[in-house]
């Protein structure tokens, strides 16, 4: 089992600079108070702001920065892209394979493999997202979809021993639960996380440490505890509820209480 509980906020394309500043003025005080009373907690907090705000936050101490994206090419004539090496100057983690990137930017498995390899090259820890859509869920073939998503991206990366010393984090994010207010039930989450855990152990069991498996999809302060209590849930990836500093802090407090 992984030791840390991860609480990662994904802000997507939200917040202007003054809102980012306001958020962190309050957030830093809340985290400082929380950890002043108990700094032994095994909790890793991450925030993924828009890339343009990463430099602004690079002196963060109580939490880590997460990039929402990196380019799949290393450098060169790719107008508008931001490379892994540029992002790595500020960020510790990077999201790879988020369903919005797969859906709206047509990111294929080959692109995701390239991004993970570039992340490792520049010492970023990838958080690889996978999850079925509503149709797969209703048809009942979601586990085979999840298997394909993991085996087509993660297994090729770790098929050689080059990356076995690297850290990998994965996040189960059922597409039907993202931004819908309809989170997966603890039983549904448990089934997929247990399945993913076994798949990873059977196929890349020789990777360094155990792979944290996060859940994402309409997490909030009401459902965080019951989700985090599931055996193979090692943290949360939070969209909407991470935009509000009070709400996000409340979820962190819940995780802190369980860590
Ligand atoms: C996400 O987009 O990663 C996500 C989990 O969003 P939300 O919490 O808003 O469903």
């Amino acid at each position: 089992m992984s030791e840390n509980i991860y609480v990662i906020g994904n802000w997507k394309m939200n917040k202007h600079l003054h809102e980012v500043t306001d958020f962190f003025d309050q957030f830093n005080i809340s985290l400082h108070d929380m950890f002043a009373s108990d700094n032994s907690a095994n909790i890793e907090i991450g925030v993924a702001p828009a890339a343009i705000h990463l430099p602004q936050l690079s002196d963060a101490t109580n939490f880590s920065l997460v990039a929402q994206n990196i380019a799949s090419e290393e450098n060169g004539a790719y107008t508008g892209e931001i490379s892994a090496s540029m992002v790595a100057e500020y960020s510790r983690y990077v999201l790879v394979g988020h369903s919005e990137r797969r859906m709206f930017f047509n990111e294929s498995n080959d692109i995701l493999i390239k991004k993970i390899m570039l992340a490792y090259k520049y010492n970023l820890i990838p958080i690889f997202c996978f999850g079925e859509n509503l149709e797969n869920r209703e048809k009942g073939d979601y586990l085979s979809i999840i298997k394909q998503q993991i085996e087509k991206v993660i297994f090729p990366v770790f098929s050689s021993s080059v990356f076995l010393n690297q850290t990998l984090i994965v996040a189960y994010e059922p597409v039907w639960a993202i931004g819908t207010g309809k989170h997966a039930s603890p039983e549904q989450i448990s089934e997929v996380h247990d399945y993913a855990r076994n798949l990873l152990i059977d196929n890349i069991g020789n990777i360094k440490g155990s792979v944290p498996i996060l859940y994402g999809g309409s997490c909030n302060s009401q459902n965080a505890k019951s989700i985090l209590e599931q055996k193979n849930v090692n943290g949360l990836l939070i969209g909407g509820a991470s935009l509000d500093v009070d709400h996000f802090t409340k979820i962190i407090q819940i995780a802190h209480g369980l860590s």
Side-chain angles (χ1 to χ4, degrees), residues 92-156:
R92 177 166 164 76
Y93 301 97
V94 58
L95 301 180
V96 177
H98 192 284
S99 58
E100 287 155 14
R101 301 262 356 145
R102 294 179 193 253
M103 246 182 317
F104 304 136
F105 302 94
N106 298 321
E107 293 197 351
S108 64
N109 291 328
D110 288 344
I111 284 177
L112 304 183
I113 291 171
K114 282 162 85 174
K115 289 188 177 196
I116 291 177
M117 290 184 170
L118 282 169
Y120 285 142
K121 179 164 182 184
Y122 292 100
N123 296 320
L124 287 161
I125 298 174
I127 302 173
F128 173 73
C129 306
F130 63 92
E132 81 282 3
N133 62 24
L134 187 59
E135 192 190 341
N136 307 140
R137 172 56 63 172
E138 285 176 343
K139 276 207 301 215
D141 61 0
Y142 51 95
L143 291 179
S144 69
I145 297 295
I146 284 164
K147 180 166 187 264
Q148 276 177 40
Q149 289 175 335
I150 294 177
E151 77 185 0
K152 295 231 159 93
V153 177
I154 297 303
F155 298 173

Side-chain angles (χ1 to χ4, degrees), residues 164-198:
L164 285 175
N165 268 332
Q166 300 282 359
T167 303
L168 172 69
I169 299 175
V170 300
Y172 170 48
E173 294 215 303
V175 180
W176 50 271
I178 295 182
T180 59
K182 199 171 159 234
H183 68 96
S185 69
E187 295 73 28
Q188 289 171 321
I189 295 169
S190 198
E191 181 193 26
V192 172
H193 281 232
D194 291 354
Y195 178 78
R197 169 75 64 222
N198 288 332

Side-chain angles (χ1 to χ4, degrees), residues 192-210:
V192 172
H193 281 232
D194 291 354
Y195 178 78
R197 169 75 64 222
N198 288 332
L199 195 63
L200 293 168
I201 288 174
D202 289 348
N203 292 280
I204 57 164
N206 48 347
I207 190 174
K208 189 188 82 179
S210 94

Side-chain angles (χ1 to χ4, degrees), residues 10 12 98 100 173 177-179 216-218 237-240:
N10 173 15
K12 313 189 185 191
H98 192 284
E100 287 155 14
E173 294 215 303
I178 295 182
S218 296
L237 183 51
I238 303 161

